[in-house]
Amino acid sequence: MSNKRFQRSSDKRLLAGVCGGIAEYFGWEPTIVRIVFIVLTVLGFSGIFVYILAWLIMPAAGERRSLLEQIIRNFQGKSSE
């Protein structure tokens, strides 16, 4: 059983690593995932919303917590570690 994690990429990134992370997880080419996000954006701006949401939810490579979880924990006064 493989130990794959759904996380943002650190080496296949252009902006936040979302498309690279999705591509690494599914074994796809990052360019294809980026084109899908561009098409979603052109067809009603949903691509930008999905990208930002994925950026907040997906942890960065090597991190345990997502950016959104860190923000919520800081707001609650808890340590983000």
Side-chain angles (χ1 to χ4, degrees):
M1 184 181 238
S2 67
N3 191 14
K4 293 193 318 184
R5 287 191 66 209
F6 198 61
Q7 60 189 9
R8 292 183 284 133
S9 177
S10 61
D11 58 340
K12 296 179 183 174
R13 66 187 301 164
L14 288 180
L15 292 176
V18 172
C19 293
I22 292 170
E24 285 177 356
Y25 184 80
F26 290 109
W28 299 340
E29 182 66 32
T31 306
I32 302 298
V33 179
R34 290 181 185 114
I35 290 171
V36 168
F37 272 100
I38 291 169
V39 169
L40 287 174
T41 300
V42 170
L43 297 176
F45 300 107
S46 61
I48 295 171
F49 175 73
V50 170
Y51 191 92
I52 292 171
L53 187 63
W55 173 57
L56 290 171
I57 293 172
M58 291 172 65
E63 296 287 327
R64 288 184 30 196
R65 301 190 198 294
S66 69
L67 182 62
L68 183 61
E69 187 174 356
Q70 291 176 8
I71 291 169
I72 291 170
R73 290 181 65 84
N74 286 338
F75 182 73
Q76 294 172 339
K78 297 177 181 177
S79 173
S80 61
E81 291 297 318

